[in-house]
Amino acid sequence: MSKSISDKTVRNPSQSSPFSEILEKNMSRRMVMRGGIAAAFATMTSLGLAGCNSSDDDDDAVDGGNPNPTPEVPGEQPAAPVKLGFESLPTSMTDACVVPAGYIAHVFAPWGTPFNDNANPWDRNGNNTSADLLNSTGMHHDGMHYFPINGSSTEGLLAVNHEYIDQKTLHPTGATLVAGKRPIEEIRKEINAHGVAILHVRRENGRWNIVHNSRYNRRFTSATPMKLAGPVGGTDWVKTPYSPNGTMVRGTNNNCGNGYTPWGTYITAEENWAACFVNTGTQPREQLRVGVSDDVGRYLWETGAADPLEVQGEFARFNVTESGADFTQDWRNEVNGFGYLVEIDPFDENSIATKRTAMGRFAHEGCAYGKPEAGKPLAFYSGDDSRFEYIYRFVSEAVWDPKDAERTDRLAVGAKYLDKGTLYVARFDADGTGEWIALTGATVGAGGRTLADEFGSLENIIINTRGAADFVGATPMDRPEWTATHPTNGDIYLTLTNNSSRNAGKGTNPPNPRLNNVNGHIVRWHDEPGSTKFKWDIFVFGSDAGADADTNRSGLTTLNQLASPDGLGFDPRGILWIQTDNGIDGGRNNNVAKATNDQMLAVIPGALADSTGTGPAINATNQADLRRFFVGPNEAEVTGFAFTPDYTTIFLNIQHPVNWPAYDTDDATTATTGTVRARSSTVVIQRADGGPLGV
Ligand code: FEO
Ligand code: CA
Ligand code: CA
Ligand code: CA
C-alpha cells in the first residue's frame, strides 16, 4: 500500500506501557524445535500433484472440475535441494524493472485492461467509465495467486487483488467535487477500480495473454454482493437496510495481501478499509479501535448519498453515523461487514464471495495456512498491519481430510474449515517461546475478568478483535504484513515492515528489538504440535549496508540491503521470496530508499545450515545466500507474486509507479521516456531459455 492510505495513528491503547524494562535478547539464536518434525513429514499428504498433467489445453471451455490446486505442499518425497542460480542484482533507481541476466519481463494486464467485449480499451487520457472498470483489471495490483487448470503451467486462473486507487490517474484530471458532492459516476468508477480480478490466462508462443471473453473472467469490486459467514453473519452487528437478516454485504475493500487454501480457493484480505467509512457521531469502541473516520470518508463516497440515481443507499452506506431509530433507517452497521478474510472460488464464475468472520476482524494483511496434516486441524495465520498491532492464528474445528482438496464444492469445504474454529493472538516472550492466546469467552484477561465478562458473545469479541487482543495481553508488533509457511518443516515467517513510532517512550519488546525501526525485519516461529506454545526467532533485520552493527544486525551488504519487507512467500522448492514496500512514494526517507527502488529478494532458509532444520538466521557468514532478484521502477512497491507449477513463469505486481510502464512496448525493462499516465501492473518474468526461475 502507499503511505497515502496506511493508518499512521497508533490506535493501541496498551502502548502506554513501555517495554523498556524487558531486556533485549540476542534475536539470532537457533530455534530448538526440531523433534518430531521428520515424522510429521512422512505423514504429509500430497495435495496437488496427483492428476497434474502438462498438456496445453487450448479449449477455452475447460471445466473447473478438478483444478488441482497449486502443489504448494510437496509429496512424500522431498524435492531435491535447489540452489539459487542467479547473481544478486545491483541497486537501481530508474523508471524500469530490472531482472537477472538471461531473464525477460513483460508488462501484463495493467489497470484498465479489458477482459471482455463489454469494456472499451484503456484510454491514455483517463476517460474510461465505471462500466469499463467492471470488465477490466482494477487499480493498484497487490496479492495474487495462479490457479492451474488441470495442473497446467500454460493455462490457469490468475487472481489479483486491487488494493486501492490513485484518483489522479484514474480520472482525466483527478477527483472533482461539485457543490460539496462527488459526481456519482466518478464514485462508481472508484468503487469498481477496487477489489479483485479473476483472469483466465494462457501462454501461447511464450507469451501470456488474457483469454478474452472467457467465462472465468470476472471482477469483485467494492460493490459486489458477498455473503457474511461465521459467527458474525446473521447477527445484529451486520443487519442493514440492504440485508435485514445480516447475511449479505456489498463489496470488499482495500484488498492487500492474499492467501489460498488447500482446496483451491483464493483468500483476499481486507486491510485499510476503516477510513472509507465516516461516523461523525459518538463512535463505539470497536470503531475507535480500527480508525473509522470522524470527519469525512477517505474518498468522500458518502457525498453521493441522495443523488436521484443512487441505488439502495450505495453511497449513503459509507456514512455509518446513527441518524435514524434503528438499523432499518440508517447505515450504522455497514462498517461491521468489513475487515475480514474473504474466500473466492475462482473456478465457479457463479459463486458468491464469502467473508469468513471467524478468522477475525482487523486490518488483515494476508493469510497463509500451516502445513496440513491429515486428521489434524488446519491453522491459518494473518497479520494486522498497523503500528503496534498483533499476529493472529485461526485453528479450524474440523480436522483435515485430504480428500477435501479434490472436492468441487469448494466454498462448502471453506465453510467446513473456516467458519468454525478458534481465533488466537500471539504473545512473544523474551525466552524465545510464545503462546497463542484464545480469543474466546473463557480466556482470562485484564483484572482477572474473562473476555465474556468484557465483551459478551463470540461475535462481540470478533467485531472488536483488536480490543479483545489488547485485553488478553498480546504482543504489539512493528506492523505485521505477510505470512509464509516453509513447505517442508512448517515454520511460519512473517514480515514486520517497519515502525517509526517505537521511540524511547514506547520502548522495544523481544520480537521488535529496535527503536525507530524504519527498516523492518522478519520474524519466524514454529508451532508445537497440539499445543498453544511456539518457539521463535528473527530471521533477518532490514538495514542499509552502511549502518552500524546495532542497526545492521544481519550484516547486509550493498547486494542485499533491504528495508520494509512486506510481500512474502515460499515456493514449493523452499525458496523464500521477500518483497519490499519502502515508502519511496513518500520520499526517499531512509538510507535503503536513497540507494534503491523497491525490490524482490530470494533466499533458501533450509540451505543455510544443517540438514535437520531451518538453519540459522541471516548473519555475516551467509550473505551470498540472500540475493536481490528484481528491482521495480521509481516510487513503486513490489508486491504479490505467483508461480506456475513448473516454475517457468513468475507473475509479480508493481503497485503505484508514477511514470511507468513505457508506452508502445510491453517490455517491462524498457525505461519510460517522457511522461506517461502511470499504471500499476502485473509483470511476467521468464527465463529467455524457458527454464525454471531462480535456480
Ligand atoms: Fe497493503 Fe500492509 O500493505
Ligand atoms: Ca506495506
Ligand atoms: Ca508503497
Ligand atoms: Ca502490503
Side-chain angles (χ1 to χ4, degrees), residues 98-450:
V98 185
V99 291
Y103 285 69
I104 55 176
H106 293 108
V107 176
F108 179 78
W111 77 264
T113 300
F115 52 65
N116 62 38
D117 289 340
N118 296 325
N120 293 299
W122 181 72
D123 175 59
R124 289 185 180 187
N125 298 311
N127 289 308
N128 290 95
T129 66
S130 60
D132 289 338
L133 265 294
L134 259 189
N135 298 282
S136 304
T137 50
M139 262 195 157
H140 284 28
H141 305 41
D142 204 312
M144 70 192 317
H145 193 68
Y146 175 86
F147 295 89
I149 292 177
N150 295 325
S152 175
S153 288
T154 57
E155 183 172 25
L157 304 181
L158 194 64
V160 183
N161 285 350
H162 296 294
E163 186 185 18
Y164 71 104
I165 57 169
D166 175 354
Q167 293 170 312
K168 289 194 306 297
T169 55
L170 182 62
H171 306 296
T173 56
T176 59
L177 203 59
V178 180
K181 292 178 182 291
R182 298 287 316 283
I184 64 167
E185 167 58 15
E186 274 187 24
I187 301 176
R188 285 179 179 152
K189 188 171 168 182
E190 294 176 6
I191 283 173
N192 290 352
H194 283 78
V196 178
I198 306 294
L199 304 172
H200 183 183
V201 297
R202 184 188 289 154
R203 194 180 77 181
E204 293 163 311
N205 301 320
R207 299 294 287 266
W208 285 87
N209 294 297
I210 297 174
V211 180
H212 202 68
N213 291 323
S214 167
R215 65 183 171 92
Y216 292 115
N217 296 336
R218 66 190 300 209
R219 281 292 315 283
F220 298 86
T221 74
S222 298
T224 306
M226 301 189 177
K227 288 182 185 169
L228 286 162
V232 173
T235 68
D236 288 348
W237 284 106
V238 283
K239 291 176 178 171
T240 64
Y242 170 75
S243 182
N245 63 8
T247 57
M248 297 289 290
V249 64
R250 281 172 289 182
T252 184
N253 244 63
N254 305 108
N255 306 79
C256 189
N258 74 290
Y260 48 87
T261 66
W263 52 93
T265 58
Y266 185 68
I267 293 180
T268 185
E270 299 183 328
E271 189 193 21
N272 290 299
W273 45 273
C276 290
F277 296 89
V278 56
N279 182 350
T280 57
T282 303
Q283 293 196 9
R285 61 180 174 175
E286 68 275 5
Q287 291 185 8
L288 292 169
R289 193 63 184 78
V290 295
V292 170
S293 179
D294 61 6
D295 46 15
V296 293
R298 178 183 297 138
Y299 300 119
L300 301 174
W301 289 345
E302 69 277 8
T303 65
D307 185 282
L309 296 177
E310 185 189 29
V311 178
Q312 273 194 299
E314 63 178 310
F315 310 120
R317 67 194 175 105
F318 293 101
N319 185 341
V320 298
T321 311
E322 290 189 13
S323 57
D326 57 31
F327 77 84
T328 65
Q329 296 177 19
D330 60 37
W331 294 94
R332 65 185 64 186
N333 291 333
E334 182 72 7
V335 70
N336 298 328
F338 292 80
Y340 302 107
L341 294 170
V342 186
E343 188 179 19
I344 289 172
D345 182 353
F347 292 98
D348 178 357
E349 70 274 25
N350 298 312
S351 60
I352 299 173
T354 302
K355 300 199 177 191
R356 300 296 183 192
T357 67
M359 303 174 85
R361 177 171 181 261
F362 47 90
H364 283 279
E365 176 70 23
C367 179
Y369 61 85
K371 191 167 65 65
E373 293 183 36
K376 302 248 178 86
L378 294 177
F380 294 81
Y381 302 87
S382 188
D384 183 353
D385 180 11
S386 208
R387 295 171 186 186
F388 303 107
E389 296 300 342
Y390 306 123
I391 298 171
Y392 296 87
R393 175 181 81 160
F394 174 78
V395 177
S396 66
E397 185 178 294
V399 297
W400 175 236
D401 177 355
K403 290 196 295 293
D404 286 334
E406 310 300 324
R407 284 169 58 178
T408 55
D409 55 342
R410 297 174 199 88
L411 291 177
V413 179
K416 174 180 174 180
Y417 292 105
L418 304 181
D419 285 346
K420 285 187 182 165
T422 303
L423 182 65
Y424 297 85
V425 67
R427 190 193 70 225
F428 290 77
D429 295 325
D431 64 356
T433 69
E435 176 146 18
W436 292 108
I437 307 170
L439 297 180
T440 50
T443 300
V444 177
R449 302 176 72 231
T450 65

Side-chain angles (χ1 to χ4, degrees), residues 374-609:
K376 302 248 178 86
L378 294 177
F380 294 81
Y381 302 87
S382 188
D384 183 353
D385 180 11
S386 208
R387 295 171 186 186
F388 303 107
E389 296 300 342
Y390 306 123
I391 298 171
Y392 296 87
R393 175 181 81 160
F394 174 78
V395 177
S396 66
E397 185 178 294
V399 297
W400 175 236
D401 177 355
K403 290 196 295 293
D404 286 334
E406 310 300 324
R407 284 169 58 178
T408 55
D409 55 342
R410 297 174 199 88
L411 291 177
V413 179
K416 174 180 174 180
Y417 292 105
L418 304 181
D419 285 346
K420 285 187 182 165
T422 303
L423 182 65
Y424 297 85
V425 67
R427 190 193 70 225
F428 290 77
D429 295 325
D431 64 356
T433 69
E435 176 146 18
W436 292 108
I437 307 170
L439 297 180
T440 50
T443 300
V444 177
R449 302 176 72 231
T450 65
L451 281 171
D453 293 337
E454 179 67 16
F455 294 95
S457 63
L458 179 60
E459 62 264 30
N460 296 4
I461 292 170
I462 288 171
I463 284 287
N464 194 359
T465 301
R466 285 181 173 178
D470 298 339
F471 192 74
V472 300
T475 301
M477 308 296 286
D478 288 349
R479 296 188 54 199
E481 299 253 25
W482 291 50
T483 42
T485 305
H486 191 287
T488 53
N489 67 34
D491 291 349
I492 312 295
Y493 289 63
L494 180 142
T495 43
L496 294 158
T497 201
N498 57 53
N499 185 352
S500 55
S501 296
R502 198 176 285 279
N503 53 28
K506 297 269 177 22
T508 63
N509 62 27
N512 305 280
R514 292 187 298 185
L515 293 175
N516 188 27
N517 180 16
V518 298
N519 296 306
H521 53 288
I522 297 177
V523 67
R524 63 181 173 182
W525 65 86
H526 193 94
D527 281 344
E528 298 293 306
S531 165
T532 55
K533 306 285 190 193
F534 62 88
K535 295 182 177 175
W536 65 272
D537 76 352
I538 291 176
F539 178 63
V540 64
F541 289 92
S543 175
D544 61 290
D548 63 24
D550 187 55
T551 294
N552 192 7
R553 297 186 187 197
S554 298
L556 302 185
T557 71
T558 54
L559 284 175
N560 60 15
Q561 58 185 335
L562 69 101
S564 306
D566 189 342
L568 189 74
F570 276 98
D571 74 35
R573 301 170 297 185
I575 301 176
L576 180 66
W577 299 87
I578 303 165
Q579 300 176 312
T580 68
D581 171 17
N582 199 16
I584 293 167
D585 52 325
R588 295 186 183 269
N589 294 322
N590 61 48
N591 286 336
V592 175
K594 288 178 170 66
T596 187
N597 288 348
D598 274 317
Q599 56 185 309
M600 180 155 141
L601 305 102
V603 60
I604 306 175
L608 287 172

Side-chain angles (χ1 to χ4, degrees), residues 1-3 164 581-585 598 635-637 655-656:
M1 100 193 97
S2 149
K3 285 173 174 272
Y164 71 104
D581 171 17
N582 199 16
I584 293 167
D585 52 325
D598 274 317
E635 303 199 31
E637 160 183 354
Q655 191 190 79
H656 61 76

